[in-house]
Amino acid sequence: MTYLIQGDTGDWEVVIGLEVHAQVSSEAKLFSGSPTAFGAEPNTQVSLVDAAMPGMLPVINKFCVEQAVKTGLGLQAAINLHSVFERKNYFYADLPQGYQISQYQHPIVGEGTVILDMPDGTSREIGIERLHMEQDAGKSMHDQDPKRSFIDLNRAGVCLMEIVSKPDLRSPEEAGVFVRKLRSILRYLGTCDGNMEQGSMRADVNVSVRHPGETEYRTRAEIKNVNSVRFIMQAIEVEAARQVETWEAGDEVVQETRLFDPDRAETRSMRAKEFAHDYRYFPDPDLLPVDLDQAFVDGIAAALPELPDAKKERFIADFGLSAYDAGVLVADRETAAFFENVAEGRDAKQAANWLTTNLFGALNAAGKDIAESPVSAAQLGELLDLMADATISGRIAKDVFEEMFETSKDPGAIVEEKGLKQITDTGAIEAAVDQVINDNPGQADEVRGGNDKAIGWFVGQVMKATQGKANPQMVNQLLRDKLKG
Ligand code: MN
């Protein structure tokens, strides 16, 4: 679907590139042994290296390097066996070194690809420009005291992967799908928890606009540190509209860093955009270049888990699911595993339906995610089995499921306890059918007179009389035999 903004001078398209900062799931920082746990007391996870005491030397954390390589492989990207840490020099209160150790000319990961599955069934390939490793900065706190600001260095030195997309995205929706897909891949890989509320994933959003058909990009603005998918989409929308207005008023969009204010739904200028040369990058003399051997990379590649795209293809091929259902089920690794456990050896489409409709519905209403589900995969599987062997009807199964969700009890136990077994004994059903026919001679005559719709009414009455436990097919057959036979 093409996203176009209608202006006075014609249509405008929006060009978007993202720089996503993803925190590596590592217990120690990139160049020190300090812990990285979220939510610790301020300045309790700061070593002399993180605080940039004179004479301290950084030592690279091999685990972090592995995670960056793993992520690169997951993004189908080229791994650069030779990469270099450089100093990005700038002054800021939360940056004790006076520079950030980052990678610039020689990043550890080169070009890659992320595939977007759009809700309308189409797919888009988005290029990855690069992935480099760098340190996070500390955090300034301005809300602790009326006159003073405080600095928390717990985050200083934590390993980030900066993942830079090509300017291939063309709508807020595509940007949203991209971030969700990227997060899904990182979570499958286990290299970043993708927790945007805790700041372990945040995006800088580059936006420009142009008339369709223009070959050059116009000047872009960068919206810094947007920390939710919804905000990323909103920020693009309002920034693109602002730029269209600017161009159409005969003004120029300037290259700058802007801030998104969700409360006022607007972006505001923060500062003129720095250019790379402002940072005086140079190789960090305290660190050797990172030289990997191919066997190290191959070892990581061999141990990669199955990723969402491959899993989706397999779900379609092996379980006969629609592309849409498969996409929903693989988006989250735990959901996919849950589904596989339920579907194994059973009717996979029915399993998918129960998961996406009943279980997701109940989880949503309870504000829980699948890891907290009161119903286990084994229990849901057992419920499907009870339907498959006609122990209970589909209608009773819904009641049993509700009870399972509330109590975490096994479905077999609930059926037993509440006497919900389906009645398949012809004699018992026949008795109920006769009773209902005798009680309703008028309706019975209608059916005999040719009104087939009235049979449905009789089925309902018999089901009611048996508390939903009669086998509906048998009820239907008996009614037809008796009224029409
Ligand atoms: Mn960065």
Side-chain angles (χ1 to χ4, degrees):
M1 231 183 337
T2 326
Y3 178 85
L4 291 172
I5 300 168
Q6 266 112 44
D8 297 333
T9 59
D11 287 344
W12 295 82
E13 68 174 2
V14 55
V15 177
I16 307 149
L18 295 178
E19 295 166 23
V20 176
H21 285 92
Q23 181 180 328
V24 169
S25 298
S26 160
E27 285 176 19
K29 295 183 180 178
L30 179 53
F31 298 116
S32 82
S34 305
T36 60
F38 179 80
E41 279 290 295
N43 297 310
T44 54
Q45 304 184 148
V46 186
S47 74
L48 297 172
V49 174
D50 310 322
M53 289 297 141
M56 293 299 113
L57 287 172
V59 177
I60 191 155
N61 180 343
K62 184 182 173 191
F63 179 79
C64 291
V65 176
E66 282 171 5
Q67 305 315 297
V69 170
K70 199 172 176 184
T71 305
L73 293 168
L75 300 174
Q76 304 170 55
I79 305 301
N80 295 323
L81 297 180
H82 175 80
S83 66
V84 178
F85 282 106
E86 301 200 37
R87 292 184 179 179
K88 181 181 184 180
N89 296 280
Y90 66 96
F91 177 81
Y92 205 73
D94 61 20
L95 188 74
Q97 287 165 159
Y99 55 85
Q100 176 192 34
I101 305 178
S102 179
Q103 295 187 312
Y104 179 52
Q105 291 194 55
H106 303 281
I108 191 161
V109 175
E111 293 185 329
T113 306
V114 170
I115 294 166
L116 308 188
D117 297 309
M118 302 307 294
D120 65 2
T122 58
S123 57
R124 288 260 289 124
E125 236 177 67
I126 303 302
I128 295 294
E129 179 69 35
R130 58 186 275 154
L131 174 156
H132 65 256
M133 305 171 73
E134 62 186 25
Q135 306 173 292
D136 205 348
K139 192 171 85 180
S140 304
M141 297 189 286
H142 307 294
D143 54 359
Q144 310 285 307
D145 186 279
K147 291 202 174 116
R148 295 173 298 173
S149 284
F150 292 84
I151 306 288
D152 174 11
L153 291 180
N154 282 352
R155 226 170 55 187
V158 164
C159 179
L160 302 177
M161 299 180 283
E162 179 172 332
I163 302 165
V164 182
S165 87
K166 292 183 185 281
D168 289 348
L169 298 158
R170 290 290 176 275
S171 70
E173 188 186 30
E174 281 184 5
V177 172
F178 175 82
V179 173
R180 287 207 181 91
K181 183 63 177 281
L182 185 61
R183 182 171 59 185
S184 166
I185 293 170
L186 296 175
R187 284 178 170 164
Y188 265 73
L189 292 165
T191 56
C192 167
D193 64 24
N195 200 331
M196 297 184 91
E197 305 83 71
Q198 296 183 358
S200 36
M201 221 177 121
R202 45 195 200 264
D204 300 339
V205 187
N206 288 288
V207 178
S208 65
V209 296
R210 64 179 176 183
H211 290 298
E214 284 180 19
T215 48
E216 301 287 318
Y217 296 126
R218 296 196 183 203
T219 311
R220 69 193 152 127
E222 180 184 24
I223 310 154
K224 271 282 178 204
N225 265 327
V226 192
N227 64 357
S228 85
V229 174
R230 195 161 56 88
F231 288 168
I232 289 169
M233 294 169 66
Q234 281 175 0
I236 293 167
E237 211 178 304
V238 299
E239 175 59 15
R242 183 192 72 85
Q243 291 186 14
V244 167
E245 246 175 67
T246 305
W247 289 119
E248 294 206 326
D251 296 331
E252 296 259 316
V253 169
V254 293
Q255 184 166 343
E256 64 182 351
T257 302
R258 299 180 71 86
L259 176 101
F260 176 59
D261 179 344
D263 295 327
R264 298 173 59 174
E266 63 177 26
T267 65
R268 284 197 297 277
S269 183
M270 273 170 81
R271 55 173 188 260
K273 167 77 184 172
E274 305 80 359
F275 292 87
H277 61 250
D278 293 328
Y279 290 118
R280 303 292 190 272
Y281 279 100
F282 63 87
D284 192 311
D286 290 340
L287 288 158
L288 289 167
V290 181
D291 286 302
L292 308 174
D293 48 48
Q294 191 58 46
F296 173 82
V297 176
D298 293 345
I300 295 172
L304 279 188
E306 182 183 41
L307 293 171
D309 292 329
K311 203 182 279 288
K312 183 181 167 192
E313 288 311 311
R314 184 166 62 79
F315 278 13
I316 293 171
D318 290 6
F319 294 122
L321 297 185
S322 68
Y324 179 80
D325 278 349
V328 169
L329 292 169
V330 304
D332 170 65
R333 191 180 188 170
E334 265 120 51
T335 304
F338 194 108
F339 165 75
E340 277 199 86
N341 280 332
V342 179
E344 200 57 60
R346 300 194 177 92
D347 180 341
K349 279 185 191 164
Q350 192 190 23
N353 271 338
W354 271 82
L355 223 72
T356 54
T357 312
N358 305 62
L359 182 62
F360 285 5
L363 288 171
N364 262 342
K368 290 183 169 164
D369 65 36
I370 193 122
E372 306 162 308
S373 171
V375 176
S376 71
Q379 287 174 321
L380 185 55
E382 197 196 320
L383 183 68
L384 299 193
D385 291 342
L386 290 174
M387 277 185 277
D389 68 10
T391 305
I392 56 172
S393 66
R395 212 193 64 69
I396 292 285
K398 293 203 169 81
D399 297 341
V400 174
F401 177 79
E402 262 178 41
E403 176 96 10
M404 289 163 71
F405 198 85
E406 242 161 61
T407 62
S408 289
K409 281 187 191 163
D410 288 340
I414 294 168
V415 168
E416 202 60 47
E417 221 170 79
K418 304 209 149 179
L420 297 173
K421 259 195 191 137
Q422 183 161 242
I423 304 169
T424 50
D425 164 26
T426 319
I429 296 177
E430 198 169 2
V433 167
D434 287 340
Q435 183 70 49
V436 172
I437 291 175
N438 286 337
D439 290 351
N440 302 282
Q443 279 89 342
D445 282 340
E446 268 185 48
V447 178
R448 289 191 189 101
N451 182 358
D452 262 23
K453 278 189 195 148
I455 288 198
W457 180 83
F458 271 104
V459 173
Q461 293 305 304
V462 176
M463 294 307 285
K464 207 163 142 191
T466 57
Q467 288 98 47
K469 291 185 290 184
N471 178 304
Q473 285 81 23
M474 291 175 70
V475 172
N476 214 302
Q477 194 53 52
L478 277 165
L479 279 165
R480 279 171 193 281
D481 291 350
K482 283 178 188 288
L483 293 171
K484 310 215 49 150

